[in-house]
Each structure stands twice: as C-alpha cells, then as structure tokens.
Amino acid sequence: MLGYVPPPPPEGFATWDDVSSEQGSWFACSDPSGVGPRLYFQRVPEGKVVKNRVHLDVRVGTGLVGEERLAALEAECARLIPLGAVRGQLLLADGENESCLNMQDVEGNEFCLD
C-alpha cells in the first residue's frame, strides 16, 4: 500500500525464508527513497479483541480540500480494495478536521486514508 519494500536478506542467505525459523512472525519494510521511517511488524499470539494498539493514518490527500480531497481518498480506496482492504466509513470534513476514510486490512486491522 505504501510502496515500501522489504530489505534484502543478510549476507550469506538467498532469501528471508532461509534466515528465520519463525517465518511469518515478523516483517520489516522501508521506504525505497529513504525518506520515510522503517516499519516493523511483529505477530502476537493473542487475537484482536479490542481496537488496534497501533493505528496508521495513510496520507493521500495532503494539501487537498473539499471535492479534490474526497476524489483522492476514493481513488486510493479503489486501489486498495483489490489488494484485500475493506472500505469503512467516510468521515466528512466538519470545520475542524478534513475528510478521511476508515478502512481495514485483510486481518481486520483498522487504518485511515487521510
């Protein structure tokens, strides 16, 4: 979704599968331009029972307002749905906050297009 890429496996390993016996328990990725922060995700044994402990707001409408912002949110939503995301509630601008769109990833974790 963010265009981030996984790092190459450590020297001496052909793939990440060769590195870890705990395959699938964690994942890291980074911004290929080197500008954005590295993201690290770690699977926990507990299932989701309440809201996310981490919530991502993905900026797609920076600097846009009104109909232009809504169009940017809808375009990104349309791109993410075939990847497994689920559309949630569209929250319209209220005079204090600009519009944003709630969504869920393939595991039900919530995030916003902002």
Side-chain angles (χ1 to χ4, degrees):
M1 174 172 85
L2 301 175
Y4 276 36
V5 295
E11 189 173 323
F13 295 93
T15 69
W16 276 104
D17 290 343
D18 298 337
V19 175
S20 176
S21 62
E22 297 179 14
Q23 180 179 346
S25 66
W26 59 271
F27 179 78
C29 59
S30 60
D31 180 354
S33 71
V35 174
R38 175 180 177 258
L39 298 178
Y40 180 84
F41 302 92
Q42 184 174 358
R43 189 175 304 278
V44 296
E46 303 83 18
K48 180 180 173 184
V49 293
V50 295
K51 284 194 145 302
N52 301 356
R53 292 186 296 177
V54 174
H55 178 95
L56 294 177
D57 283 353
V58 180
R59 299 279 172 159
V60 298
T62 303
L64 302 176
V65 296
E67 293 300 320
E68 286 182 309
R69 183 178 185 87
L70 291 175
L73 297 175
E74 294 294 348
E76 186 64 5
C77 177
R79 185 182 78 84
L80 297 177
I81 288 174
L83 300 175
V86 177
R87 181 191 176 98
Q89 181 181 11
L90 174 65
L91 301 172
L92 296 174
D94 61 11
E96 187 174 324
N97 299 300
E98 268 300 332
S99 299
C100 67
L101 179 57
N102 292 327
M103 298 193 71
Q104 292 182 351
D105 70 13
V106 296
E107 294 182 348
N109 298 302
E110 300 156 0
F111 65 95
C112 287
L113 299 179
D114 181 338

